[in-house]
Amino acid sequence: MIALPRAVADILKILHENGYRAYAVGGCVRDSLLGRTPHDWDVASDAEAETVLALFPHTVGTGLRHGTVTVLYPAMAVEVTTFRRDGDYSDRRRPDSVTFTDSLREDAARRDFTINAMYYNESEGLIDCFSGREDLAARLIRAVGDPLRRFDEDALRILRAGRFAAELGFAVEGETRRAMELQKHLLRHISRERIGAELFRALLGDVAAGFGLFLKTGCLCEIDERLSIVTVGRLTACAVLPRELPLRLACVLMGANDPGQILRGLRVDNRTQRRVCLLLDHLDDPLDSDYAMRRFAADWGTDALKELTALRAACGGNTTAWAEADRLGRLLKEGMITKKELQINGADLLQVGLKEGGAVGALLEQLFDEVLRGNLPNRHNRLMDEARYRINNG
C-alpha cells in the first residue's frame, strides 16, 4: 500500500469516476516503495489531454503535444500524461512525435529504467510490467528493454543511470552499464546545462556508485577530456567530504590547469565557481598556527576555512592535516572575529587625532592584525590606547 497525497488520490478518483484508467507513476512510486518521500507526483492515464483539461478546473497545458497537463491544487501541482508510444528521437533527447494509446504496457515500454516504470492506484495496487520491484530489491538500475535503444533515444539517460545509482546507492546492471560505455559518444548531443546538472547530483550522492561509474565507463572524458585528471583515489577522498558542491568539485578538480574554465564549460554558477577556485588557490597555504587560521577566516570567511581544512584532511590524510582540524575546532569554540566585529572604527580614530584618508584604513588593519595574532584584546578601551600610542609615535 502506497500513501497517496490527497491531491493525487482526488485526481485518480475523478478520472476513474469518468471511466478512465489512471495511476501514480514513475519516481513517486519508486520512492514510496523505498520508504523515501517523493518530491513530485506524476499520473499516467488513458484520458487524453483535452479530457483532463475539461475535468479539472485549475490546469496548465504544460506539454499538450506530448499529452501532458498540469493539474493545480492548493498544496501541489500534479502532471497528468496520456499513455503513449514515442516516435523517433532525432535530437537524442525528445521524441519527434508521440502516439497516444490505451495500453499501459506500451506506455511503460517507453520509459527509461525499470524502477521508474511502475504504476499504482488503490484499486489495482502495483502494476509492474518490467520487474522494477525486483530490481528495487536487488538495488539495480536496469534499462527498460534494450539499453542501447533507450540511450540512443535519449542520451541524457546515460547520465541519469549514474545519477540514480548515486542518489539511491544502487549498482547499474551489466548490460545497461555496457550500453553506457558504448553510447557515451551520444552525450555530445546534450546541452552542457543538463550534463552539469546530472553530474553534480551524482557528485553529491554515493560518489563511487555514480561519479565513479562515469569515470570507469569513459563518460567523464567524453564530456570534457580535461576531466582525465579525476582518479578513483580522488573519488575515495571525495566520498568522506560533506555533501557540499563547491567542496566536492574542488576535490575532483585538484591538479586541473584551469578549473575555472572546466566549471564554466559545465555552466556552474558564478558563486560556486568562485568558491571552488578559492579553495584550490589556497590549497597549499600554511595553516600551521592560530594566527594563520584566524587570518584566513578574516579574509575569506569561516565557512571557507572549514571547507579548506576538510579538503586538506580528506586529500592529505596525514598528521598535519588532522592537526589543522583539531586547531580549527578549538578556534571555533574560542570564537573567530571578523573585521566588522573589531571594537574600534574609523570615527574613533578621527576622534583621537588621526587625519582622514588612507591612514585610517591602514591603522584599523594593523590593529585588527594584532588582535588576530593575540597581541591585543578586542576591547574598545585597549584598542583606543594602542591607537593613540601609534598615532603619537608614528
Side-chain angles (χ1 to χ4, degrees):
M1 175 67 73
I2 291 176
L4 299 174
R6 183 172 179 177
V8 176
D10 188 46
I11 290 170
L12 299 184
K13 180 174 181 289
I14 291 172
L15 288 167
H16 290 163
E17 288 176 346
N18 284 273
Y20 298 99
R21 301 172 70 194
Y23 308 85
V25 65
C28 59
V29 177
R30 176 200 69 222
D31 288 345
S32 295
L33 292 174
L34 289 172
R36 298 159 60 101
T37 301
H39 295 294
D40 301 295
W41 287 83
D42 296 307
V43 167
S45 173
D46 58 355
E48 295 195 8
E50 293 77 8
T51 300
V52 177
L53 290 168
L55 286 176
F56 297 94
H58 304 292
T59 60
V60 178
T62 45
L64 296 179
R65 178 168 169 258
H66 296 113
T68 300
V69 173
T70 300
V71 179
L72 304 175
Y73 276 74
M76 67 190 308
V78 180
E79 286 193 351
V80 180
T81 302
T82 309
F83 295 159
R84 74 186 200 210
R85 296 189 301 270
D86 291 344
D88 294 334
Y89 287 70
S90 61
D91 66 353
R92 298 298 198 280
R93 184 68 189 94
R94 294 178 180 82
D96 300 330
S97 63
V98 301
T99 302
F100 301 124
T101 175
D102 60 2
S103 169
L104 180 149
R105 185 177 181 86
E106 287 185 338
D107 188 72
R110 70 177 178 82
R111 296 182 180 270
D112 53 5
F113 306 110
T114 61
I115 61 171
N116 296 334
M118 295 181 286
Y119 300 69
Y120 176 85
N121 65 31
E122 292 178 343
S123 61
E124 298 175 68
L126 186 71
I127 297 178
D128 180 10
C129 302
F130 294 96
S131 303
R133 190 158 198 177
E134 290 181 15
D135 286 337
L136 274 186
R139 304 178 68 79
L140 283 178
I141 308 295
R142 184 194 307 271
V144 171
D146 179 3
L148 290 171
R149 180 177 178 182
R150 292 287 84 79
F151 295 153
D152 187 66
E153 291 169 341
D154 180 357
L156 189 65
R157 290 170 174 167
I158 297 170
L159 299 183
R160 281 168 59 85
R163 190 255 293 175
F164 282 128
E167 290 183 338
L168 300 174
F170 283 17
V172 175
E173 175 270 335
E175 290 301 317
T176 303
R177 177 181 172 134
R178 279 188 283 276
M180 291 175 66
E181 188 167 2
L182 290 171
Q183 301 284 63
K184 63 181 182 290
H185 63 280
L186 297 176
L187 291 171
R188 69 190 64 167
H189 297 283
I190 306 302
S191 73
R192 307 305 289 181
E193 289 84 357
R194 296 307 300 268
I195 286 174
E198 297 293 335
L199 282 183
F200 304 149
R201 290 177 68 176
L203 190 60
L204 293 176
D206 183 325
V207 179
F211 218 76
L213 182 66
F214 298 148
L215 173 63
K216 293 173 184 177
T217 56
C219 289
L220 281 184
C221 286
E222 187 68 35
I223 291 166
D224 190 327
E225 61 183 12
R226 292 169 296 186
L227 292 175
S228 61
I229 61 167
V230 180
T231 64
V232 173
R234 190 63 51 73
L235 295 183
T236 300
C238 187
V240 305
L241 290 168
R243 297 188 179 194
E244 298 170 7
L245 186 59
L247 189 52
R248 290 196 168 188
L249 280 172
C251 184
V252 298
L253 293 179
M254 285 172 58
N257 290 330
D258 191 347
Q261 190 174 32
I262 296 173
L263 294 172
R264 286 190 293 274
L266 293 172
R267 306 299 190 266
V268 177
D269 65 88
N270 291 335
R271 182 177 181 181
T272 300
Q273 285 184 44
R274 288 193 295 270
R275 179 53 63 91
V276 172
C277 292
L278 170 68
L279 293 173
L280 293 176
D281 288 345
H282 293 274
L283 192 60
D284 296 322
D285 281 11
L287 295 177
D288 52 358
S289 68
D290 290 3
Y291 169 71
M293 283 199 169
R294 291 192 186 112
R295 183 76 257 179
F296 185 93
D299 291 340
W300 304 108
T302 302
D303 287 343
L305 176 60
K306 291 177 184 176
E307 291 173 355
L308 181 61
T309 305
L311 182 62
R312 287 156 65 118
C315 296
N318 52 41
T319 54
T320 299
W322 293 114
E324 289 176 0
D326 291 340
R327 177 179 288 111
L328 175 61
R330 174 173 56 79
L331 291 176
L332 290 174
K333 288 181 180 178
E334 294 175 2
M336 298 271 204
I337 76 160
T338 65
K339 193 172 291 186
K340 291 181 180 179
E341 296 169 319
L342 188 66
Q343 296 298 302
I344 193 173
N345 58 38
D348 294 325
L349 298 183
L350 294 176
Q351 287 181 7
V352 294
L354 194 64
K355 296 181 180 180
E356 292 188 30
V360 172
L363 182 52
L364 284 175
E365 179 57 39
Q366 292 170 21
L367 295 173
F368 182 58
D369 196 69
E370 291 297 321
V371 172
L372 294 179
R373 292 180 183 276
N375 296 334
L376 278 174
N378 188 29
R379 294 202 303 268
H380 179 75
N381 60 344
R382 184 66 184 86
L383 291 168
M384 290 291 282
D385 289 344
E386 182 67 20
R388 290 189 188 93
Y389 176 82
R390 293 190 179 212
I391 292 169
N392 294 330
N393 296 276

